[in-house]
Amino acid sequence: MGSLPPSLDLPSPPLGKPSHLQLLSETTLLNLFKSQQNHLNYFFQNLDFSQALSFTQTLLNSRGTIFFSGVGKSGFVASKISQTLVSLDIRSSFLSPLDALHGDIGALSSADVLVLFSKSGSTEELLRLLPCARAKGVYLISVTSVSNNALANACDMNVHLPLERELCPFDLAPVTSTAIQMVFGDTVAIALMGARNLTKEQYAANHPAGRIGKSLIFKVKDVMKKKDELPICKEGDLIMEQLVELSSKGCGCLLVIDNEYHLLGTFTDGDLRRTLIKASGEAIFKLRVGDMCNREPRTIGPDAMAVEAMQKMESPPSPVQFLPVIDHQNVLIGIITLHGLVSAGL
């Protein structure tokens, strides 16, 4: 590869450190973590749990959508909490205070709840939003950390999140206040999850692309090979004549069936190696699959969960790489392989 033109040369990383920077010590960093821990402990020790309970109960009883709003870092936290509720099958949405005043407030109705996150409770954008939201009949809740603030005084409910101070040496950068907002919101979300008796299956339905969702949604029939993909043979077939079938389907085995497709056994590449060791001379050319196959293989049904298939493959006395899939009449309908499960993200 040729060199880049002079105008496209990438700058070299700076060496050393600017003279005005001090070396960060392990002790300094450890002390910061300990300080943040103390600030979080202050929050937990001073939180009014009656307020937290009333807040959680109000969200639980909501007949409409639970809207969250905030500005800056508090806005990011509010959006994240809303997304968490949505993932837990709870109707929720983030409402930008700026966009709300330019048409988005039309999404609000009298059945909804609007939760406003603000450390100070004096955020101008939220205060401008309040009368408009109240005109829509929305139930208003403020979540703040400064006592006796304008936002709390104007809402139907206020939750006070006790804040000792920000970790920032100037007590300005919102790093502790946003941490307690997130802890509070996510804890309430899990409380709602429990109160609504959300099942694993319902949770998985909202996370179909993730490993958790796949493990709770995918069944054997969703990931198994079938029909022309199956490496099948009859018990009377000669082993040496089935080598192509054994290797071409990528399953590492042959599925031995009768004329009605009932599963009789399996013959693996490991069985082939053992056959080659035991047999001698021309005898190997006369051996039939039925002579060396496993007549009692592990099997699974098509409606079993795919994760159950993986567990069955890994169970004692020794792991296997595949499971024949049969129906209730022992008719072969597919095969599920460890490679297929891994490829599916399980």
PDB file of all heavy atoms in Angstrom, residues 74-111:
ATOM      1  N   SER A  74     -29.847  15.540  32.867  1.00  0.00           N
ATOM      2  CA  SER A  74     -31.089  14.995  33.433  1.00  0.00           C
ATOM      3  C   SER A  74     -31.998  14.486  32.322  1.00  0.00           C
ATOM      4  O   SER A  74     -32.758  13.526  32.506  1.00  0.00           O
ATOM      5  CB  SER A  74     -31.814  16.059  34.257  1.00  0.00           C
ATOM      6  OG  SER A  74     -31.079  16.401  35.413  1.00  0.00           O
ATOM      7  N   GLY A  75     -31.936  15.122  31.167  1.00  0.00           N
ATOM      8  CA  GLY A  75     -32.727  14.669  30.026  1.00  0.00           C
ATOM      9  C   GLY A  75     -32.265  13.309  29.532  1.00  0.00           C
ATOM     10  O   GLY A  75     -33.089  12.450  29.178  1.00  0.00           O
ATOM     11  N   PHE A  76     -30.939  13.098  29.499  1.00  0.00           N
ATOM     12  CA  PHE A  76     -30.418  11.803  29.089  1.00  0.00           C
ATOM     13  C   PHE A  76     -30.884  10.711  30.055  1.00  0.00           C
ATOM     14  O   PHE A  76     -31.255   9.610  29.642  1.00  0.00           O
ATOM     15  CB  PHE A  76     -28.884  11.823  29.040  1.00  0.00           C
ATOM     16  CG  PHE A  76     -28.332  12.673  27.932  1.00  0.00           C
ATOM     17  CD1 PHE A  76     -27.349  13.612  28.187  1.00  0.00           C
ATOM     18  CD2 PHE A  76     -28.784  12.531  26.631  1.00  0.00           C
ATOM     19  CE1 PHE A  76     -26.827  14.398  27.170  1.00  0.00           C
ATOM     20  CE2 PHE A  76     -28.275  13.309  25.606  1.00  0.00           C
ATOM     21  CZ  PHE A  76     -27.296  14.253  25.872  1.00  0.00           C
ATOM     22  N   VAL A  77     -30.848  11.017  31.353  1.00  0.00           N
ATOM     23  CA  VAL A  77     -31.289  10.048  32.366  1.00  0.00           C
ATOM     24  C   VAL A  77     -32.774   9.747  32.185  1.00  0.00           C
ATOM     25  O   VAL A  77     -33.200   8.584  32.206  1.00  0.00           O
ATOM     26  CB  VAL A  77     -31.014  10.571  33.787  1.00  0.00           C
ATOM     27  CG1 VAL A  77     -31.635   9.634  34.821  1.00  0.00           C
ATOM     28  CG2 VAL A  77     -29.520  10.712  34.026  1.00  0.00           C
ATOM     29  N   ALA A  78     -33.570  10.790  31.995  1.00  0.00           N
ATOM     30  CA  ALA A  78     -35.015  10.614  31.819  1.00  0.00           C
ATOM     31  C   ALA A  78     -35.308   9.747  30.602  1.00  0.00           C
ATOM     32  O   ALA A  78     -36.170   8.864  30.643  1.00  0.00           O
ATOM     33  CB  ALA A  78     -35.693  11.979  31.671  1.00  0.00           C
ATOM     34  N   SER A  79     -34.575   9.969  29.514  1.00  0.00           N
ATOM     35  CA  SER A  79     -34.763   9.174  28.295  1.00  0.00           C
ATOM     36  C   SER A  79     -34.394   7.723  28.536  1.00  0.00           C
ATOM     37  O   SER A  79     -35.095   6.806  28.094  1.00  0.00           O
ATOM     38  CB  SER A  79     -33.909   9.758  27.166  1.00  0.00           C
ATOM     39  OG  SER A  79     -34.020   8.970  25.992  1.00  0.00           O
ATOM     40  N   LYS A  80     -33.309   7.507  29.261  1.00  0.00           N
ATOM     41  CA  LYS A  80     -32.863   6.130  29.527  1.00  0.00           C
ATOM     42  C   LYS A  80     -33.879   5.386  30.377  1.00  0.00           C
ATOM     43  O   LYS A  80     -34.191   4.210  30.127  1.00  0.00           O
ATOM     44  CB  LYS A  80     -31.497   6.160  30.221  1.00  0.00           C
ATOM     45  CG  LYS A  80     -30.840   4.783  30.359  1.00  0.00           C
ATOM     46  CD  LYS A  80     -31.289   4.044  31.598  1.00  0.00           C
ATOM     47  CE  LYS A  80     -30.686   2.652  31.663  1.00  0.00           C
ATOM     48  NZ  LYS A  80     -31.279   1.840  32.739  1.00  0.00           N
ATOM     49  N   ILE A  81     -34.418   6.033  31.402  1.00  0.00           N
ATOM     50  CA  ILE A  81     -35.405   5.391  32.268  1.00  0.00           C
ATOM     51  C   ILE A  81     -36.661   5.053  31.478  1.00  0.00           C
ATOM     52  O   ILE A  81     -37.246   3.973  31.638  1.00  0.00           O
ATOM     53  CB  ILE A  81     -35.739   6.289  33.473  1.00  0.00           C
ATOM     54  CG1 ILE A  81     -34.497   6.464  34.354  1.00  0.00           C
ATOM     55  CG2 ILE A  81     -36.874   5.689  34.296  1.00  0.00           C
ATOM     56  CD1 ILE A  81     -34.642   7.521  35.428  1.00  0.00           C
ATOM     57  N   SER A  82     -37.071   5.962  30.600  1.00  0.00           N
ATOM     58  CA  SER A  82     -38.227   5.696  29.749  1.00  0.00           C
ATOM     59  C   SER A  82     -37.990   4.465  28.872  1.00  0.00           C
ATOM     60  O   SER A  82     -38.860   3.605  28.726  1.00  0.00           O
ATOM     61  CB  SER A  82     -38.518   6.916  28.878  1.00  0.00           C
ATOM     62  OG  SER A  82     -39.560   6.639  27.957  1.00  0.00           O
ATOM     63  N   GLN A  83     -36.798   4.368  28.304  1.00  0.00           N
ATOM     64  CA  GLN A  83     -36.462   3.213  27.467  1.00  0.00           C
ATOM     65  C   GLN A  83     -36.470   1.919  28.274  1.00  0.00           C
ATOM     66  O   GLN A  83     -36.868   0.863  27.778  1.00  0.00           O
ATOM     67  CB  GLN A  83     -35.104   3.425  26.810  1.00  0.00           C
ATOM     68  CG  GLN A  83     -35.099   4.539  25.777  1.00  0.00           C
ATOM     69  CD  GLN A  83     -33.702   4.899  25.317  1.00  0.00           C
ATOM     70  OE1 GLN A  83     -32.742   4.200  25.600  1.00  0.00           O
ATOM     71  NE2 GLN A  83     -33.583   6.019  24.622  1.00  0.00           N
ATOM     72  N   THR A  84     -36.024   1.992  29.521  1.00  0.00           N
ATOM     73  CA  THR A  84     -36.058   0.813  30.388  1.00  0.00           C
ATOM     74  C   THR A  84     -37.493   0.352  30.607  1.00  0.00           C
ATOM     75  O   THR A  84     -37.799  -0.846  30.521  1.00  0.00           O
ATOM     76  CB  THR A  84     -35.391   1.112  31.744  1.00  0.00           C
ATOM     77  OG1 THR A  84     -34.018   1.432  31.530  1.00  0.00           O
ATOM     78  CG2 THR A  84     -35.484  -0.099  32.670  1.00  0.00           C
ATOM     79  N   LEU A  85     -38.396   1.289  30.867  1.00  0.00           N
ATOM     80  CA  LEU A  85     -39.799   0.927  31.076  1.00  0.00           C
ATOM     81  C   LEU A  85     -40.390   0.292  29.816  1.00  0.00           C
ATOM     82  O   LEU A  85     -41.126  -0.695  29.896  1.00  0.00           O
ATOM     83  CB  LEU A  85     -40.612   2.160  31.468  1.00  0.00           C
ATOM     84  CG  LEU A  85     -40.327   2.776  32.844  1.00  0.00           C
ATOM     85  CD1 LEU A  85     -41.305   3.913  33.121  1.00  0.00           C
ATOM     86  CD2 LEU A  85     -40.400   1.732  33.946  1.00  0.00           C
ATOM     87  N   VAL A  86     -40.067   0.853  28.663  1.00  0.00           N
ATOM     88  CA  VAL A  86     -40.568   0.286  27.409  1.00  0.00           C
ATOM     89  C   VAL A  86     -40.098  -1.156  27.251  1.00  0.00           C
ATOM     90  O   VAL A  86     -40.861  -2.040  26.849  1.00  0.00           O
ATOM     91  CB  VAL A  86     -40.109   1.138  26.207  1.00  0.00           C
ATOM     92  CG1 VAL A  86     -40.423   0.423  24.891  1.00  0.00           C
ATOM     93  CG2 VAL A  86     -40.791   2.499  26.228  1.00  0.00           C
ATOM     94  N   SER A  87     -38.833  -1.417  27.592  1.00  0.00           N
ATOM     95  CA  SER A  87     -38.301  -2.777  27.472  1.00  0.00           C
ATOM     96  C   SER A  87     -38.970  -3.743  28.438  1.00  0.00           C
ATOM     97  O   SER A  87     -38.911  -4.956  28.249  1.00  0.00           O
ATOM     98  CB  SER A  87     -36.789  -2.769  27.716  1.00  0.00           C
ATOM     99  OG  SER A  87     -36.483  -2.639  29.099  1.00  0.00           O
ATOM    100  N   LEU A  88     -39.611  -3.176  29.487  1.00  0.00           N
ATOM    101  CA  LEU A  88     -40.322  -4.000  30.466  1.00  0.00           C
ATOM    102  C   LEU A  88     -41.821  -4.063  30.166  1.00  0.00           C
ATOM    103  O   LEU A  88     -42.615  -4.415  31.011  1.00  0.00           O
ATOM    104  CB  LEU A  88     -40.097  -3.442  31.878  1.00  0.00           C
ATOM    105  CG  LEU A  88     -38.646  -3.401  32.353  1.00  0.00           C
ATOM    106  CD1 LEU A  88     -38.554  -2.783  33.746  1.00  0.00           C
ATOM    107  CD2 LEU A  88     -38.038  -4.802  32.350  1.00  0.00           C
ATOM    108  N   ASP A  89     -42.190  -3.711  28.947  1.00  0.00           N
ATOM    109  CA  ASP A  89     -43.574  -3.811  28.475  1.00  0.00           C
ATOM    110  C   ASP A  89     -44.489  -2.774  29.128  1.00  0.00           C
ATOM    111  O   ASP A  89     -45.681  -3.010  29.323  1.00  0.00           O
ATOM    112  CB  ASP A  89     -44.125  -5.223  28.712  1.00  0.00           C
ATOM    113  CG  ASP A  89     -44.962  -5.712  27.543  1.00  0.00           C
ATOM    114  OD1 ASP A  89     -44.818  -5.159  26.446  1.00  0.00           O
ATOM    115  OD2 ASP A  89     -45.777  -6.634  27.737  1.00  0.00           O
ATOM    116  N   ILE A  90     -43.915  -1.619  29.484  1.00  0.00           N
ATOM    117  CA  ILE A  90     -44.686  -0.530  30.080  1.00  0.00           C
ATOM    118  C   ILE A  90     -44.718   0.635  29.092  1.00  0.00           C
ATOM    119  O   ILE A  90     -43.675   1.042  28.571  1.00  0.00           O
ATOM    120  CB  ILE A  90     -44.060  -0.071  31.413  1.00  0.00           C
ATOM    121  CG1 ILE A  90     -44.054  -1.235  32.417  1.00  0.00           C
ATOM    122  CG2 ILE A  90     -44.811   1.120  31.997  1.00  0.00           C
ATOM    123  CD1 ILE A  90     -43.282  -0.950  33.691  1.00  0.00           C
ATOM    124  N   ARG A  91     -45.887   1.164  28.826  1.00  0.00           N
ATOM    125  CA  ARG A  91     -45.998   2.264  27.868  1.00  0.00           C
ATOM    126  C   ARG A  91     -45.307   3.509  28.404  1.00  0.00           C
ATOM    127  O   ARG A  91     -45.685   4.057  29.442  1.00  0.00           O
ATOM    128  CB  ARG A  91     -47.470   2.572  27.580  1.00  0.00           C
ATOM    129  CG  ARG A  91     -48.114   1.630  26.572  1.00  0.00           C
ATOM    130  CD  ARG A  91     -49.530   2.066  26.269  1.00  0.00           C
ATOM    131  NE  ARG A  91     -50.381   1.965  27.445  1.00  0.00           N
ATOM    132  CZ  ARG A  91     -51.601   2.474  27.526  1.00  0.00           C
ATOM    133  NH1 ARG A  91     -52.098   3.166  26.519  1.00  0.00           N
ATOM    134  NH2 ARG A  91     -52.317   2.323  28.621  1.00  0.00           N
ATOM    135  N   SER A  92     -44.299   3.956  27.691  1.00  0.00           N
ATOM    136  CA  SER A  92     -43.535   5.109  28.138  1.00  0.00           C
ATOM    137  C   SER A  92     -42.892   5.786  26.934  1.00  0.00           C
ATOM    138  O   SER A  92     -42.718   5.177  25.883  1.00  0.00           O
ATOM    139  CB  SER A  92     -42.450   4.683  29.139  1.00  0.00           C
ATOM    140  OG  SER A  92     -41.736   5.806  29.617  1.00  0.00           O
ATOM    141  N   SER A  93     -42.544   7.062  27.118  1.00  0.00           N
ATOM    142  CA  SER A  93     -41.900   7.807  26.037  1.00  0.00           C
ATOM    143  C   SER A  93     -41.179   9.009  26.628  1.00  0.00           C
ATOM    144  O   SER A  93     -41.537   9.511  27.695  1.00  0.00           O
ATOM    145  CB  SER A  93     -42.934   8.266  25.012  1.00  0.00           C
ATOM    146  OG  SER A  93     -42.318   8.957  23.936  1.00  0.00           O
ATOM    147  N   PHE A  94     -40.159   9.462  25.926  1.00  0.00           N
ATOM    148  CA  PHE A  94     -39.445  10.678  26.335  1.00  0.00           C
ATOM    149  C   PHE A  94     -40.036  11.856  25.577  1.00  0.00           C
ATOM    150  O   PHE A  94     -40.241  11.794  24.358  1.00  0.00           O
ATOM    151  CB  PHE A  94     -37.950  10.568  26.049  1.00  0.00           C
ATOM    152  CG  PHE A  94     -37.201  11.831  26.368  1.00  0.00           C
ATOM    153  CD1 PHE A  94     -36.912  12.170  27.679  1.00  0.00           C
ATOM    154  CD2 PHE A  94     -36.791  12.691  25.350  1.00  0.00           C
ATOM    155  CE1 PHE A  94     -36.233  13.342  27.984  1.00  0.00           C
ATOM    156  CE2 PHE A  94     -36.105  13.863  25.639  1.00  0.00           C
ATOM    157  CZ  PHE A  94     -35.822  14.191  26.963  1.00  0.00           C
ATOM    158  N   LEU A  95     -40.303  12.944  26.284  1.00  0.00           N
ATOM    159  CA  LEU A  95     -40.863  14.151  25.687  1.00  0.00           C
ATOM    160  C   LEU A  95     -39.846  15.275  25.807  1.00  0.00           C
ATOM    161  O   LEU A  95     -39.545  15.738  26.908  1.00  0.00           O
ATOM    162  CB  LEU A  95     -42.169  14.537  26.379  1.00  0.00           C
ATOM    163  CG  LEU A  95     -42.879  15.785  25.839  1.00  0.00           C
ATOM    164  CD1 LEU A  95     -43.402  15.538  24.428  1.00  0.00           C
ATOM    165  CD2 LEU A  95     -44.021  16.186  26.770  1.00  0.00           C
ATOM    166  N   SER A  96     -39.307  15.707  24.685  1.00  0.00           N
ATOM    167  CA  SER A  96     -38.373  16.829  24.695  1.00  0.00           C
ATOM    168  C   SER A  96     -39.131  18.104  25.048  1.00  0.00           C
ATOM    169  O   SER A  96     -40.138  18.425  24.405  1.00  0.00           O
ATOM    170  CB  SER A  96     -37.725  16.990  23.322  1.00  0.00           C
ATOM    171  OG  SER A  96     -37.131  18.267  23.182  1.00  0.00           O
ATOM    172  N   PRO A  97     -38.683  18.841  26.063  1.00  0.00           N
ATOM    173  CA  PRO A  97     -39.413  20.056  26.446  1.00  0.00           C
ATOM    174  C   PRO A  97     -39.430  21.099  25.328  1.00  0.00           C
ATOM    175  O   PRO A  97     -40.387  21.864  25.206  1.00  0.00           O
ATOM    176  CB  PRO A  97     -38.655  20.561  27.673  1.00  0.00           C
ATOM    177  CG  PRO A  97     -37.322  19.908  27.613  1.00  0.00           C
ATOM    178  CD  PRO A  97     -37.525  18.590  26.936  1.00  0.00           C
ATOM    179  N   LEU A  98     -38.396  21.117  24.498  1.00  0.00           N
ATOM    180  CA  LEU A  98     -38.360  22.070  23.389  1.00  0.00           C
ATOM    181  C   LEU A  98     -39.342  21.656  22.296  1.00  0.00           C
ATOM    182  O   LEU A  98     -40.167  22.463  21.841  1.00  0.00           O
ATOM    183  CB  LEU A  98     -36.943  22.169  22.823  1.00  0.00           C
ATOM    184  CG  LEU A  98     -36.776  23.090  21.600  1.00  0.00           C
ATOM    185  CD1 LEU A  98     -37.162  24.530  21.959  1.00  0.00           C
ATOM    186  CD2 LEU A  98     -35.345  23.026  21.079  1.00  0.00           C
ATOM    187  N   ASP A  99     -39.270  20.387  21.896  1.00  0.00           N
ATOM    188  CA  ASP A  99     -40.172  19.913  20.846  1.00  0.00           C
ATOM    189  C   ASP A  99     -41.623  19.919  21.311  1.00  0.00           C
ATOM    190  O   ASP A  99     -42.549  20.078  20.496  1.00  0.00           O
ATOM    191  CB  ASP A  99     -39.777  18.494  20.412  1.00  0.00           C
ATOM    192  CG  ASP A  99     -38.421  18.457  19.722  1.00  0.00           C
ATOM    193  OD1 ASP A  99     -38.010  19.516  19.200  1.00  0.00           O
ATOM    194  OD2 ASP A  99     -37.775  17.395  19.708  1.00  0.00           O
ATOM    195  N   ALA A 100     -41.833  19.725  22.619  1.00  0.00           N
ATOM    196  CA  ALA A 100     -43.203  19.716  23.146  1.00  0.00           C
ATOM    197  C   ALA A 100     -43.904  21.042  22.856  1.00  0.00           C
ATOM    198  O   ALA A 100     -45.099  21.066  22.555  1.00  0.00           O
ATOM    199  CB  ALA A 100     -43.186  19.448  24.648  1.00  0.00           C
ATOM    200  N   LEU A 101     -43.159  22.142  22.948  1.00  0.00           N
ATOM    201  CA  LEU A 101     -43.744  23.462  22.724  1.00  0.00           C
ATOM    202  C   LEU A 101     -43.876  23.799  21.246  1.00  0.00           C
ATOM    203  O   LEU A 101     -44.338  24.882  20.885  1.00  0.00           O
ATOM    204  CB  LEU A 101     -42.896  24.529  23.433  1.00  0.00           C
ATOM    205  CG  LEU A 101     -42.813  24.382  24.960  1.00  0.00           C
ATOM    206  CD1 LEU A 101     -41.947  25.478  25.553  1.00  0.00           C
ATOM    207  CD2 LEU A 101     -44.211  24.404  25.571  1.00  0.00           C
ATOM    208  N   HIS A 102     -43.446  22.871  20.401  1.00  0.00           N
ATOM    209  CA  HIS A 102     -43.572  23.067  18.955  1.00  0.00           C
ATOM    210  C   HIS A 102     -44.349  21.920  18.328  1.00  0.00           C
ATOM    211  O   HIS A 102     -44.037  21.490  17.220  1.00  0.00           O
ATOM    212  CB  HIS A 102     -42.182  23.208  18.326  1.00  0.00           C
ATOM    213  CG  HIS A 102     -41.485  24.474  18.688  1.00  0.00           C
ATOM    214  ND1 HIS A 102     -41.644  25.649  17.994  1.00  0.00           N
ATOM    215  CD2 HIS A 102     -40.640  24.758  19.725  1.00  0.00           C
ATOM    216  CE1 HIS A 102     -40.925  26.606  18.556  1.00  0.00           C
ATOM    217  NE2 HIS A 102     -40.300  26.096  19.611  1.00  0.00           N
ATOM    218  N   GLY A 103     -45.334  21.395  19.060  1.00  0.00           N
ATOM    219  CA  GLY A 103     -46.239  20.407  18.488  1.00  0.00           C
ATOM    220  C   GLY A 103     -46.289  19.062  19.177  1.00  0.00           C
ATOM    221  O   GLY A 103     -47.334  18.409  19.178  1.00  0.00           O
ATOM    222  N   ASP A 104     -45.170  18.623  19.784  1.00  0.00           N
ATOM    223  CA  ASP A 104     -45.145  17.278  20.358  1.00  0.00           C
ATOM    224  C   ASP A 104     -46.016  17.141  21.600  1.00  0.00           C
ATOM    225  O   ASP A 104     -46.323  16.019  22.030  1.00  0.00           O
ATOM    226  CB  ASP A 104     -43.706  16.853  20.701  1.00  0.00           C
ATOM    227  CG  ASP A 104     -42.922  16.469  19.459  1.00  0.00           C
ATOM    228  OD1 ASP A 104     -43.476  16.608  18.348  1.00  0.00           O
ATOM    229  OD2 ASP A 104     -41.762  16.015  19.599  1.00  0.00           O
ATOM    230  N   ILE A 105     -46.430  18.246  22.179  1.00  0.00           N
ATOM    231  CA  ILE A 105     -47.298  18.177  23.356  1.00  0.00           C
ATOM    232  C   ILE A 105     -48.652  17.565  23.003  1.00  0.00           C
ATOM    233  O   ILE A 105     -49.418  17.135  23.869  1.00  0.00           O
ATOM    234  CB  ILE A 105     -47.476  19.574  23.981  1.00  0.00           C
ATOM    235  CG1 ILE A 105     -47.948  19.438  25.433  1.00  0.00           C
ATOM    236  CG2 ILE A 105     -48.434  20.426  23.153  1.00  0.00           C
ATOM    237  CD1 ILE A 105     -47.895  20.734  26.203  1.00  0.00           C
ATOM    238  N   GLY A 106     -48.916  17.483  21.707  1.00  0.00           N
ATOM    239  CA  GLY A 106     -50.151  16.840  21.259  1.00  0.00           C
ATOM    240  C   GLY A 106     -50.224  15.375  21.608  1.00  0.00           C
ATOM    241  O   GLY A 106     -51.300  14.765  21.557  1.00  0.00           O
ATOM    242  N   ALA A 107     -49.089  14.777  21.983  1.00  0.00           N
ATOM    243  CA  ALA A 107     -49.084  13.366  22.364  1.00  0.00           C
ATOM    244  C   ALA A 107     -49.672  13.151  23.750  1.00  0.00           C
ATOM    245  O   ALA A 107     -50.051  12.029  24.111  1.00  0.00           O
ATOM    246  CB  ALA A 107     -47.655  12.812  22.324  1.00  0.00           C
ATOM    247  N   LEU A 108     -49.780  14.206  24.552  1.00  0.00           N
ATOM    248  CA  LEU A 108     -50.251  14.077  25.934  1.00  0.00           C
ATOM    249  C   LEU A 108     -51.773  14.014  26.003  1.00  0.00           C
ATOM    250  O   LEU A 108     -52.477  14.626  25.211  1.00  0.00           O
ATOM    251  CB  LEU A 108     -49.760  15.263  26.768  1.00  0.00           C
ATOM    252  CG  LEU A 108     -48.251  15.460  26.887  1.00  0.00           C
ATOM    253  CD1 LEU A 108     -47.953  16.675  27.756  1.00  0.00           C
ATOM    254  CD2 LEU A 108     -47.576  14.219  27.447  1.00  0.00           C
ATOM    255  N   SER A 109     -52.248  13.252  26.998  1.00  0.00           N
ATOM    256  CA  SER A 109     -53.684  13.180  27.265  1.00  0.00           C
ATOM    257  C   SER A 109     -53.909  13.171  28.766  1.00  0.00           C
ATOM    258  O   SER A 109     -52.967  13.016  29.554  1.00  0.00           O
ATOM    259  CB  SER A 109     -54.294  11.922  26.631  1.00  0.00           C
ATOM    260  OG  SER A 109     -53.940  10.771  27.374  1.00  0.00           O
ATOM    261  N   SER A 110     -55.149  13.281  29.173  1.00  0.00           N
ATOM    262  CA  SER A 110     -55.470  13.351  30.604  1.00  0.00           C
ATOM    263  C   SER A 110     -55.216  12.036  31.340  1.00  0.00           C
ATOM    264  O   SER A 110     -55.193  12.010  32.571  1.00  0.00           O
ATOM    265  CB  SER A 110     -56.935  13.749  30.785  1.00  0.00           C
ATOM    266  OG  SER A 110     -57.794  12.810  30.141  1.00  0.00           O
ATOM    267  N   ALA A 111     -54.990  10.955  30.589  1.00  0.00           N
ATOM    268  CA  ALA A 111     -54.714   9.665  31.222  1.00  0.00           C
ATOM    269  C   ALA A 111     -53.230   9.461  31.491  1.00  0.00           C
ATOM    270  O   ALA A 111     -52.836   8.470  32.112  1.00  0.00           O
ATOM    271  CB  ALA A 111     -55.234   8.521  30.344  1.00  0.00           C
TER     272      ALA A 111
END
